[in-house]
Amino acid sequence: MEPSKSIAYFFLAALLILTLQTAQTAKAVSMSPLTFELAANPGDTVTNVLKITNTDPNPTNIVIEVEDFTAVGEEGQVSLQQDENNLSYSLASWVTVSPNVFTIPAQDSRTVEFTINVPPDAEPGGHYGSVLATVSAAPTPGAVTVAQKVGSLLLMNVAGDVDEKLHIAEFSVERFSEYGPVTILSRFENTGTVHLKPRGFIFIKNMMGRE
């Protein structure tokens, strides 16, 4: 598997709301949970359930899709455009959902079951996808209609010979500050094959060695 060049995993705000809404009205649809962190062995089948809620005063038509995603930038952004030159982290082709087209009554919820069929020859390491709920609106004559989507991220670790490599790419602080707050910049680079969550403490001491 090609090492990941993305800066360390920060999917903490995994609220994948693609607010591509209609020009006139935006349906109030939400999905939970926002992130699934899953683990499996090659050949396993993993099943889970998510909930879609319609808080709109009218019924809402929903279409469910599954797409791969990749990390973008250093602020936790994701892109639903899979790198065609590197499918090592692909997950979407393993996922099936039921139901995939339905209507949610006003002020109601609907559950959707998704199943991940991990191939027996699946490459160990991280595989990433997203279950997307698209609000299917009837076209309005003379108006441009843009789809509204909400999504839940699927982060799957496949067991095997994985490569965990995380290092501090940058650590900097102002050389002198008479008054606080003091900004400390820390950047982590993940060059391994699985997503990681760096955790730790930063202790600050004065010139006398006191915290």
Side-chain angles (χ1 to χ4, degrees):
M1 179 180 290
E2 295 278 340
S4 170
K5 300 302 182 182
S6 59
I7 294 299
Y9 163 74
F10 285 111
F11 296 130
L12 301 183
L15 177 60
L16 176 63
I17 296 186
L18 309 180
T19 49
L20 305 175
Q21 301 174 349
T22 58
Q24 296 180 337
T25 59
K27 295 286 188 178
V29 175
S30 63
M31 180 182 289
S32 64
L34 299 175
T35 308
F36 289 87
E37 295 195 47
L38 308 167
N41 295 308
D44 282 356
T45 297
V46 178
T47 299
N48 221 314
V49 174
L50 54 83
K51 182 171 73 171
I52 303 173
T53 301
N54 174 28
T55 58
D56 197 82
N58 300 301
T60 299
N61 298 322
I62 299 293
V63 177
I64 301 295
E65 301 170 300
V66 181
E67 295 186 19
D68 291 319
F69 80 84
T70 55
V72 178
E74 301 182 13
E75 302 296 331
Q77 306 98 319
V78 298
S79 171
L80 295 178
Q81 296 180 349
Q82 174 67 40
D83 183 359
E84 296 295 335
N85 297 320
N86 182 11
L87 299 179
S88 298
Y89 306 105
S90 177
L91 179 67
S93 62
W94 303 354
V95 184
T96 57
V97 295
S98 179
N100 62 346
V101 178
F102 52 88
T103 298
I104 305 178
Q107 308 294 326
D108 203 353
S109 299
R110 183 73 180 267
T111 59
V112 174
E113 181 179 271
F114 66 87
T115 300
I116 303 175
N117 294 295
V118 184
D121 59 348
E123 191 166 358
H127 296 266
Y128 312 109
S130 178
V131 178
L132 300 171
T134 302
V135 176
S136 178
T140 302
V144 176
T145 300
V146 183
Q148 174 193 354
K149 295 185 179 183
V150 295
S152 181
L153 301 181
L154 309 181
L155 285 64
M156 166 70 77
N157 271 341
V158 176
D161 185 14
V162 299
D163 191 12
E164 293 187 1
K165 288 184 179 179
L166 180 70
H167 70 275
I168 299 176
E170 179 183 354
F171 186 87
S172 61
V173 64
E174 299 176 23
R175 295 184 62 86
F176 176 80
S177 178
E178 185 175 0
Y179 303 102
V182 176
T183 301
I184 299 175
L185 172 65
S186 56
R187 297 173 62 243
F188 299 86
E189 185 174 10
N190 177 10
T191 57
T193 58
V194 293
H195 56 274
L196 300 170
K197 288 184 177 180
R199 296 178 181 177
F201 299 94
I202 297 176
F203 297 95
I204 302 175
K205 299 181 180 181
N206 60 21
M207 64 181 61
M208 305 299 294
R210 297 177 180 176
E211 292 186 10

